[in-house]
Every structure is written in C-alpha cells, then in structure tokens.
Amino acid sequence: MIADLFSPLSPGLLLILGGLLVPFLDNRIGRFYVLLLPAVLLVYLFALPDGNHATVTMLDYELEFLRLDSLSRIFATIFLIAALLGNIYAWHEPDRVQRTAAQIYAGSAVAAALAGDLVSLFIFWELTAVSSVFLIWASGTETAYRAGMRYLIIQVGSGVILLTGLIVHVTATGSIAFDHFGLEAPGAWLILLAFGIKCAFPLLHNWLQDAYSAATVTGTVVLSAFTTKLAVYTLARGFAGTEMLIWIGAGMILFTIFYAVLENDLRRTLAYSLNNQLGFMVIGIGIGTELALNGTAAHAVASILYKALLFMAVGAVLFRTGTSKASELGGLYRSMPWTAALCMVGAASICAVPLFSGFVSKSLILSASGKEGYWFAWAVLLFGSAGVVLHSSIKIPYLAFFARDRGLRPQEAPLNMLAAMGVTAILCIGLGVWPAPLYALLPFNIDYDPYTTSHVITQLQLLLFSVLAFIVLTRTGLYPQLLKATILDFDWVYRRYLPKTLGQLGNAIDISYQSITDNAKTVMRNAMSASATMFAPGGLSGHIARVGNAAAIVAFLLLVALIVSYSAV
C-alpha cells in the first residue's frame, strides 16, 4: 500500500486537484495557471510508460486509477489539448467558478479515460456531470437553470444506471475490470445504456441541444469536447464489434440532419451536428475492426478540434452581438473578418474537404465499412457527409457572416478568442495536410493513405453536389425555412408532455385530497354536534331523573343482589 502512494498519479487526477486551487488565486495569476496546468500535464502524460499504475487495494478489489495503453492515451491527449484551448478561449472570463469547473470537468474526463476499473470509472463519470453543470448555470438565466437541472438529472441518472450495471456485473463475475464486455456479459445492457445516454443515442440525445445552447459562451466550447467523447471511448473499450451499434450510429446520423437544417439557433444547430458526427464514431465502434476503431479514435480527435472551432466562432458572434440566432445575423464578415475566416476552416474540416482534418479521419471509417461489406452503413455515412455540408459547413458561415446584411457592426472577437481559434484552425489544417502524427497515436498499427485518387475524387464530387444542392434549394425556395421558435423533437416528452401530465395528476390528487378532507370535516362536525346534543347541559342525558324513579331503580338493584346471594347459599 505504501508503494502504491509513490506510483505515478493520473494526469486527470492532478488536473482535478490543480483545479481546486483556482478559487484561491488572483485572477491574473489564475489565467496563466490554467494555461500552464494542462500543458505540463500533457508533457507528463507522454513521459509515462504504458501499463497499469496507481493501483490501490480497497475491500479486496484492485482500483486502477491509471491504465495507459494506445486507446486511453489518445483520448487523454486530445482531452488535455482541448482543456488548454478552452482556457485560452476563456482568458477574458473573470468568473472563477467557471474556470474552476472547467478544470475539474476536463480532469474528470481525462481521469475516466485512464481508469482501468469500473469503480474508478464510475467515480469520475459522475464527477464530469456534477462539475460541468456549473458551466450551464453560470449563464444566470431561468432558461439556463432549468436546462442545467434537466442536464444534471440525466447525467447523474446515467451514473446510477452505470452503478447498477457495475453491481450486477461484479456480483456475477467478481471482477471490476473495465475491459471488453459485449452484450452477453452480466450487467452489460445496463452499462451500454449508461454509455449511450452520455453518447446521446437517438431518443436519449436531447440533453445535448438543451444544455449546450443554454451554457455560457466559453462553457459551450468546453462542454463540446468531453462528455460525448468520453462516452465514445467507453463504448470503444467495452463494446467494440457490437453490430447493433452500427444501426444506432446510422440512426444518429439520419435523425438529426433535418432538425439541424431547420434550427434557427446556431449553437443548437452545432449541437445537432455533433450528434451527426458521433454517429460516425458509433458506426466505427460497431464495425469493430482495427481499421474502424482507428477511424473512430482519429475522428474523435478531429471532431473535438473542428467542433470546438465552430463553437468558438459562433460563441464569438454571440459574445459581440448578444445573439446566436441565424434570423438576426448576417453580414458580419465586414466587422469580424478573422472570425469569419477561422469559422470557414472549421466548416471545411467538418465536411471533410481534402487537406483538412475531417477528411483523414472520415476516410478511415468509410473504408472500414466498405471493406467489411456494410454497404448500408457506407451509404448512410456518405449521406451524412452530404448533410453536414448543408447544415454546418454552408449554413453556419453563410447565415452568420455572408447572408443579408442586417447592419450589425460589432467589434472583432477578443484577441484571446482569436488566438484559441487560430491554434485550433492550425491543428485542423496541419492534421489534414500531414496526418502521420495523428495516425501514430491510433490504437492499432496503420498503413493507410487517405489521399488516394478514388478517395479524393469521391469526396470532391460529394462536396460539389452538396453545394449545388444548397444553391438550387435556396434559389427555388425549397430549402427549409428557419423556425424562429425552439424546435423540440423527443425532448417534447419531458419538456412538455411530462410536466403537463404530472401537473394534471397533481391537480387530480389535490382535488381528491380536498374532497376527502372536506368530507372528513363534515363527519367530524356532525359527530361533535350529536355529542353536544346528547351530553351537554340540558341535553338528553343531562336531564336529572326524579327521586322516585331513582329510588325504584336502587330498590330493583338491591333485590337482584339479594336473590343472587340467596342462590349462592
């Protein structure tokens, strides 16, 4: 046990502990501190050897707080990079609560990715939920409070389901190891459900749009990087090759495309787009081959970067104009040219333009689906790639920066925001031009060239037809009109139906209770009235009997007593 104390500590745990110091630091020092912390931990992570470290024995179980292999390392790496980029973006933010929550949240995600057992995973799984909700509540609005409460209930609920599955699994097997389960393992369905909630599976996804659009400008950027990608990691670790995930991933791609096209709030559009990109990764996990899992890990890295860049750009617009609604924006390229240009880099990356990061990651998953004969999945992936062009790559930059000028002339984004977007854009382009460093981090050895003639031509054709489709649809008026109201899909159930139903049930209970209590009061009043009539002075029992009657009664009782006594003798 003493030797365990001198084992290497998890970088995630160190980031959590470091985050707890933030409230005690001066704001100026705190800004530099949160830049230095993830950067140092990133170097520390690469210095650690593969293997199991920081093992602690508790109640006859081995808790592994630091398991390093190629799969956990790549996710921990991109999580630390995302934490650093988020801190640069939030440099101007004076709120220490947000700064503290962001470090604990990021550290929890890193620690969960490095956990080697289910108990450790559960601890950090729940900590991600509790710490991240403060990034939503920090907006200070009633909408943010309600969204944060819904988010917290769903995320903590996911942890409760995970704990239940853990107990079932441990009871049946005696092991808490977090390795591949498959659906046959005891408790596996509960564990899969818990992972699926955080991964925003269809019908379990609305917490994402609800919370991300209500969070603070900087909080949304941080939220976009960790929760769902941690779920992708856990699915890849525990359920690789589970064919059912292919169909779930396909549903994630198809289900959200149309809502993303209709959505007016650009942050909600990006949240739906995030669902779409998660579908690519889930399909890769479902295929489960080395090429597919490499594609999933690579796409998780690429997605964290370009989604962060797009959320940063829309966040900068919201920060300067006070709105992220497409119907209120347009013409911003005149006063925010750098933000517009950097947003275009994110758009090119998400739609997998060659020489951008999305191309070198999506190609892996497409190739894996074709190689294994999953042609339906391959077709869905192509359709999803075309859809993302319409709802993210064109819609967001066009409507925010190049659509009808509404006379808005805000200042360019703050320098720290531009710096964060610039570094992220460089990474998006750098990985697209030179994917070798990314491929070197992947879980399995890879010999793959994304820039074959067939890959490039196929993708360029897809992009060309998508752009032409957008032009034709907009020119002919067939492109769906933006709905200025909040669009509800399955969240209608718990945002409208359940509150209404529970309200009606509550009213029915109130009416029944009132009726019962009114009837009880009436019965009690009647009983008290009858009692008063009977026993009160002047009542029926209160009349004084005449002396003769009383003497006759006494004589009769004495006679009875004498007869009984004589009989006994």
Side-chain angles (χ1 to χ4, degrees):
M1 186 71 177
I2 295 177
D4 293 336
L5 298 176
F6 295 96
S7 298
L9 293 177
S10 168
L13 185 58
L14 291 174
L15 184 53
I16 294 170
L17 296 175
L20 294 175
L21 296 177
V22 171
F24 305 101
L25 300 176
D26 177 76
N27 260 330
R28 182 178 299 178
I29 297 174
R31 290 187 176 104
F32 286 102
Y33 173 75
V34 296
L35 295 186
L36 188 62
L37 186 59
V40 170
L41 291 175
L42 186 61
V43 175
Y44 172 67
L45 174 67
F46 276 94
L48 291 173
D50 283 355
N52 295 335
H53 313 284
T55 301
V56 176
T57 302
M58 183 177 296
L59 300 177
D60 297 327
Y61 291 106
E62 294 286 334
L63 303 186
E64 298 177 0
F65 287 101
L66 180 56
R67 175 187 44 200
L68 268 173
D69 57 21
S70 54
L71 182 61
S72 61
R73 189 184 292 273
I74 188 172
F75 277 89
T77 299
I78 189 58
F79 286 164
L80 287 171
I81 292 173
L84 176 59
L85 294 173
N87 289 337
I88 297 173
Y89 187 77
W91 172 273
H92 66 282
E93 178 58 62
D95 186 359
R96 297 185 187 183
V97 172
Q98 288 190 69
R99 191 177 298 150
T100 303
Q103 311 318 307
I104 296 175
Y105 175 39
S108 301
V110 174
L114 295 174
D117 66 275
L118 289 171
V119 175
S120 302
L121 175 67
F122 167 75
I123 293 170
F124 297 117
W125 189 268
E126 289 291 70
L127 191 54
T128 60
V130 175
S131 56
S132 58
V133 74
F134 290 98
L135 301 174
I136 304 169
W137 285 338
S139 291
T141 64
E142 181 66 20
T143 299
Y145 172 75
R146 291 180 179 274
M149 287 301 299
R150 290 190 291 266
Y151 172 87
L152 187 61
I153 291 170
I154 292 170
Q155 296 298 312
V156 171
S158 168
V160 172
I161 295 171
L162 176 60
L163 178 61
T164 306
L166 185 161
I167 293 171
V168 172
H169 183 77
V170 173
T171 301
T173 66
S175 172
I176 62 171
F178 177 34
D179 292 308
H180 185 271
F181 297 117
L183 296 179
E184 297 77 20
W189 284 94
L190 289 170
I191 295 172
L192 177 63
L193 177 60
F195 293 170
I197 291 173
K198 273 196 186 291
C199 199
F201 280 3
L203 307 185
L204 305 173
H205 67 284
N206 291 112
W207 61 266
L208 199 155
Q209 290 78 27
D210 190 18
Y212 286 21
S213 61
T216 64
V217 169
T218 58
T220 303
V221 174
V222 178
L223 287 169
S224 71
F226 300 112
T227 296
T228 54
K229 306 313 181 300
L230 174 60
V232 167
Y233 163 76
T234 57
L235 287 170
R237 173 73 69 182
F239 295 95
T242 302
E243 193 167 286
M244 181 182 68
L245 293 177
I246 297 175
W247 308 106
I248 293 176
M252 295 173 72
I253 292 173
L254 298 174
F255 184 75
T256 54
I257 286 177
F258 304 102
Y259 288 103
V261 171
L262 294 172
E263 184 58 61
N264 184 36
D265 189 320
L266 296 183
R267 294 206 294 178
R268 286 179 64 87
T269 298
L270 285 174
Y272 276 117
S273 176
L274 181 54
N275 275 117
N276 175 279
Q277 297 302 295
L278 290 168
F280 280 75
M281 301 173 220
V282 173
I283 286 178
I285 294 168
I287 295 171
T289 62
E290 290 187 358
L291 181 61
L293 292 176
N294 278 339
T296 295
H299 201 53
V301 172
S303 178
I304 285 175
L305 293 174
Y306 59 64
K307 293 302 294 187
L309 179 53
L310 289 169
F311 272 115
M312 286 177 185
V314 172
V317 170
L318 175 60
F319 182 74
R320 285 307 195 195
T321 66
T323 182
S324 60
K325 298 186 182 301
S327 58
E328 300 172 3
L329 298 172
L332 293 180
Y333 77 92
R334 300 175 185 275
S335 56
M336 301 181 72
W338 285 105
T339 302
L342 293 167
C343 182
M344 292 296 292
V345 173
S349 299
I350 195 173
C351 69
V353 173
L355 302 181
F356 290 84
S357 58
F359 178 77
V360 302
S361 60
K362 285 183 180 179
S363 297
L364 290 167
I365 301 176
L366 279 164
S367 296
S369 61
K371 183 178 179 181
E372 299 303 316
Y374 292 105
W375 297 111
F376 173 76
W378 182 83
V380 170
L381 290 169
L382 282 182
F383 181 76
S385 297
V388 80
V389 175
L390 295 178
H391 63 63
S392 289
S393 299
I394 297 177
K395 174 183 174 179
I396 290 176
Y398 174 72
L399 293 178
F401 298 101
F402 303 105
R404 181 166 64 91
D405 192 341
R406 301 182 186 278
L408 298 175
R409 293 295 181 269
Q411 290 182 308
E412 180 57 276
L415 183 60
N416 65 288
M417 286 187 170
L418 291 176
M421 287 188 280
V423 173
T424 310
I426 290 171
L427 290 173
C428 287
I429 297 172
L431 293 179
V433 173
W434 186 38
L438 173 61
Y439 287 175
L441 287 173
L442 295 179
F444 304 100
N445 293 328
I446 184 172
D447 182 14
Y448 183 82
D449 181 12
Y451 288 105
T452 63
T453 302
S454 61
H455 283 155
V456 173
I457 291 177
T458 299
Q459 186 62 20
L460 289 177
Q461 288 175 334
L462 181 68
L463 294 171
L464 176 61
F465 283 117
S466 299
V467 172
L468 289 176
F470 179 80
I471 294 173
V472 170
L473 290 173
T474 52
R475 292 292 184 181
T476 57
L478 296 176
Y479 190 84
Q481 296 297 311
L482 296 174
L483 299 180
K484 297 185 180 181
T486 298
I487 298 176
L488 302 181
D489 50 85
F490 188 74
D491 56 338
W492 173 83
V493 172
Y494 62 81
R495 294 182 68 175
R496 293 288 186 270
Y497 176 74
L498 284 181
K500 182 179 179 181
T501 302
L502 292 175
Q504 291 173 344
L505 178 61
N507 289 336
I509 293 173
D510 286 342
I511 292 172
S512 300
Y513 175 78
Q514 191 64 42
S515 176
I516 292 171
T517 54
D518 287 346
N519 290 332
K521 289 177 181 178
T522 301
V523 170
M524 291 180 66
R525 280 195 298 267
N526 292 336
M528 293 176 67
S529 176
S531 176
T533 302
M534 179 66 68
F535 298 107
L540 293 177
S541 64
H543 293 294
I544 300 175
R546 289 179 298 174
V547 175
N549 292 339
I553 292 172
V554 171
F556 174 76
L557 292 175
L558 288 173
L559 178 61
V560 171
L562 288 172
I563 293 172
V564 171
S565 301
Y566 181 77
S567 300
V569 173

